[in-house]
Amino acid sequence: MTAKTVPVDPFDLVIFGGTGDLALRKLLPGLLRRYAEGQIPESSRILGVARDAQNDDSYRARVGEALQRVADADPALADKLPEFLQRLGYQSLDATRDDGWDAFAARLHEQGERIRVFYLSTSPALFVDICNRLRDHGLNGDGARVVVEKPIGRDLASATAINDAVGRDFSEDQIFRIDHYLGKETVQNLLALRFANILFEPLWSARHIDHVQITVAETVGLEKRASYYDTSGAMRDMVQNHLLQLLCMVAMEPPATLDANAVRDEKLKVLRSLKPIGRDEIAQATVRGQYRAGASDGAAVPGYLDELGRDDSRTETFVALKAEVDNWRWAGVPFYLRTGKRLPDRVSEIVIDFRHVPHSIFGEAGGGIRSNRLVLRLQPDEGVKLWIMIKDPGPGGLRLQHVPLDMSFAEAFGVHQPEAYERLLMDVVRGNQTLFMRRDEVEAAWKWVDPILDAWKELDDAPKTYTAGSWGPSAAVALIERDGRTWHEDSA
Ligand code: BG6
């Protein structure tokens, strides 16, 4: 089966940070794929911007080298790579100096008015300079959109300052705050599952759901991102954005339409309903960890401090916490969140654990009745599993078994599962903000996260260490087991 591709209008896309990791590893490969699928019109242009002195040809060569790895894995991409590189150009610019900006603006104005996307894949410290200069050069007109990467700020105050500053040059409907988790297929499938089926909605509340688990586990460590990561940590890097956005998609009320504001209004209500975790609850409701040396993918790996080359960092590389959504639908249902680096597997999933049946008719011989579980697997092997009880096949007594109804999207549809950035970049060009965060959402998320960060700082506890390749500190297991529950394992 092939996916249907609807071409977008011609556009110019400018990537500030065009030689950076995100551009080379995610954005440009995603654009190559969309180009190869015929979604990007020929007259579109992609301009890399960075400080180094380079020209179009040397940039194309550099990007070509980075994309070769992607193309090697897929002949359809390899065929299109040379043409795609011809769509690329380069502009050397320093966001804090005037040099080069006139030439840059003239280059963009060459094409007259058209969709212009400015992707700020830079340090947030440069956002204001870049936006001001875009405005000064008349590049913030109606067809302009600016994309900002997470995390937006490092707390509510800095996020507000960034939002204010960007908001002076671009209107809210031109600002695309990207959270690439919203572009993952399974996250959109959660919308389909919840709102295109009658089956789940009557069960989707505290009446029938015991608890929810959201896990985003990675096997990678610092990945040469020390200067960013060590000032951020897992709470700011993952929980404030990706995990809370996933929580919103699970917990939100049905929006009236898929319109961007209808969806975001509902997510905002969830964020505003999160029960604050007070200072007294911090030790019971949160765990922060940092990995020490261990093994990852079968190889020995150093601990976080060794990777960092310092021994005094208290940055957390792991967080587990128990959140609660204080509203009618979810009263009393814990949402257990956990994320970490150097965990045993790369796996992201949402687990909805339903309540037990009120009474068993099967008696001792049947074996225990386990609860139904709906598991949405974001990666790898995107898909949905619904764990149900069935009769153990065969003659003899009636015994029960817990088995999954298993749907792997790759097996069911046989199509390439698009990377989140592919989908989201095309949404920006189309001007569709449904899968992007609105200003008030980002700020509401910080409002909930800030007191936790403050409490951690005040307690001045070192994070609990865990061996690389394990599932985090034992306190994370205790956090959920204290409530008589366990973290989901795929065989459960
Ligand atoms: C990014 C974080 O937003 O998400 C990284 O900054 C993390 O630290 C990455 O590794 C994970 O994304 P994915 O799509 O690989 O799960």
Side-chain angles (χ1 to χ4, degrees):
M1 194 191 283
T2 48
K4 203 164 140 237
T5 302
V6 181
V8 295
D9 291 336
F11 61 88
D12 284 346
L13 167 66
V14 179
I15 307 177
F16 288 89
T19 52
D21 197 52
L22 183 73
L24 297 176
R25 277 207 317 180
K26 296 285 183 190
L27 305 181
L28 290 159
L31 288 164
L32 168 62
R33 218 175 261 284
R34 292 295 96 218
Y35 181 74
E37 295 265 350
Q39 197 166 16
I40 299 184
E42 292 297 323
S43 64
S44 301
R45 302 183 300 178
I46 297 163
L47 211 55
V49 169
R51 272 188 307 196
D52 2 346
Q54 276 197 63
N55 59 27
D56 291 350
D57 286 338
S58 58
Y59 185 62
R60 286 179 189 138
R62 180 153 177 198
V63 174
E65 209 175 288
L67 294 189
Q68 196 55 52
R69 277 190 293 277
V70 185
D72 284 346
D74 184 340
L77 297 184
D79 282 354
K80 290 284 182 180
L81 181 57
E83 268 175 46
F84 174 75
L85 293 175
Q86 290 314 307
R87 312 266 87 74
L88 301 189
Y90 182 80
Q91 186 78 36
S92 164
L93 281 183
D94 182 334
T96 61
R97 297 160 55 115
D98 288 335
D99 309 347
W101 279 85
D102 286 343
F104 167 68
R107 196 164 175 182
L108 290 179
H109 285 303
E110 263 167 25
Q111 290 284 342
E113 280 310 309
R114 58 158 38 185
I115 295 166
R116 294 196 186 108
V117 178
F118 300 103
Y119 200 115
L120 310 192
S121 172
T122 63
S123 148
L126 297 175
F127 288 178
V128 179
D129 279 313
I130 296 174
C131 290
N132 286 347
R133 282 176 210 276
L134 290 172
R135 179 204 55 208
D136 293 347
H137 288 85
L139 291 169
N140 62 344
D142 283 348
R145 303 136 172 37
V146 61
V147 186
V148 279
E149 265 290 336
K150 54 120 298 239
I152 315 269
R154 48 178 294 103
D155 53 20
L156 177 60
S158 52
T160 310
I162 291 173
N163 283 332
D164 282 347
V166 177
R168 277 194 282 276
D169 299 324
F170 291 89
S171 59
E172 182 63 28
D173 60 6
Q174 293 179 297
I175 304 172
F176 289 71
R177 296 180 192 83
I178 203 162
D179 182 314
H180 76 280
Y181 266 62
L182 293 181
K184 292 189 189 269
E185 278 289 293
T186 313
V187 177
Q188 293 160 65
N189 245 312
L190 180 54
L191 287 177
L193 213 66
R194 286 195 60 197
F195 305 128
N197 294 288
I198 193 72
L199 210 57
F200 296 107
E201 177 53 24
L203 304 178
W204 211 259
S205 72
R207 270 176 78 92
H208 298 289
I209 292 179
D210 177 74
H211 74 279
V212 175
Q213 299 182 16
I214 301 178
T215 295
V216 176
E218 299 186 271
T219 53
V220 293
L222 251 184
E223 289 189 297
K224 303 188 191 133
R225 293 163 82 218
S227 58
Y228 154 71
Y229 195 85
D230 197 53
T231 57
S232 173
M235 188 66 156
R236 293 186 172 93
D237 186 49
M238 300 293 288
V239 178
Q240 188 271 347
N241 32 80
H242 302 327
L243 278 88
L244 287 186
Q245 285 292 320
L246 297 181
L247 183 151
C248 285
M249 299 297 261
V250 174
M252 72 182 186
E253 293 300 314
T257 67
L258 206 53
D259 170 76
N261 280 330
V263 171
R264 297 183 304 175
D265 285 347
E266 297 307 334
K267 288 197 291 161
L268 179 65
K269 285 187 210 158
V270 175
L271 291 165
R272 289 189 173 156
S273 311
L274 284 171
K275 188 171 164 193
I277 298 185
R279 209 140 291 196
D280 299 343
E281 293 131 322
I282 210 86
Q284 293 286 307
T286 71
V287 174
R288 48 196 304 267
Q290 189 185 73
Y291 62 84
R292 53 175 183 262
S296 175
D297 293 329
V301 291
Y304 178 77
L305 296 177
D306 285 333
E307 268 185 70
L308 194 64
R310 282 199 359 235
D311 58 10
D312 59 349
S313 171
R314 292 185 159 199
T315 300
E316 78 283 352
T317 59
F318 177 96
V319 172
L321 58 82
K322 176 176 162 182
E324 284 174 81
V325 180
D326 246 355
N327 64 16
W328 273 48
R329 189 186 281 263
W330 295 111
V333 177
F335 285 70
Y336 299 100
L337 315 186
R338 71 177 164 165
T339 182
K341 301 230 179 253
R342 290 281 190 233
L343 300 186
D345 290 317
R346 175 172 185 255
V347 50
S348 298
E349 61 189 13
I350 300 172
V351 179
I352 315 291
D353 194 76
F354 290 89
R355 290 191 184 282
H356 286 282
V357 293
H359 166 73
S360 170
I361 63 167
F362 298 98
E364 292 282 302
I369 299 185
R370 318 249 324 247
S371 58
N372 296 128
R373 273 190 173 180
L374 178 67
V375 181
L376 299 134
R377 174 74 79 114
L378 273 63
Q379 61 196 23
D381 315 326
E382 293 94 332
V384 180
K385 276 187 192 173
L386 178 61
W387 290 82
I388 54 169
M389 297 303 296
I390 59 151
K391 176 192 165 297
D392 209 358
L398 201 159
R399 280 178 301 277
L400 301 171
Q401 243 194 72
H402 199 218
V403 292
L405 289 177
D406 188 353
M407 186 170 113
S408 143
F409 298 150
E411 274 172 30
F413 300 107
V415 290
H416 153 74
Q417 296 292 313
E419 283 261 352
Y421 281 101
E422 286 177 48
R423 153 88 202 227
L424 294 176
L425 282 165
M426 295 299 100
D427 278 357
V428 178
V429 174
R430 288 194 200 95
N432 180 355
Q433 291 184 307
T434 303
L435 297 176
F436 294 81
M437 295 180 292
R438 205 168 55 193
R439 168 180 186 147
D440 45 12
E441 282 181 80
V442 174
E443 294 177 2
W446 279 122
K447 232 184 194 153
W448 185 73
V449 163
D450 271 2
I452 303 176
L453 289 168
D454 290 346
W456 282 347
K457 198 165 167 195
E458 212 164 277
L459 284 172
D460 200 26
D461 268 350
K464 299 188 164 52
T465 60
Y466 61 97
T467 309
S470 72
W471 279 106
S474 53
V477 176
L479 175 122
I480 193 166
E481 289 193 347
R482 261 198 303 275
D483 295 345
R485 303 179 174 108
T486 51
W487 291 108
H488 175 75
E489 282 174 29
D490 201 40
S491 55

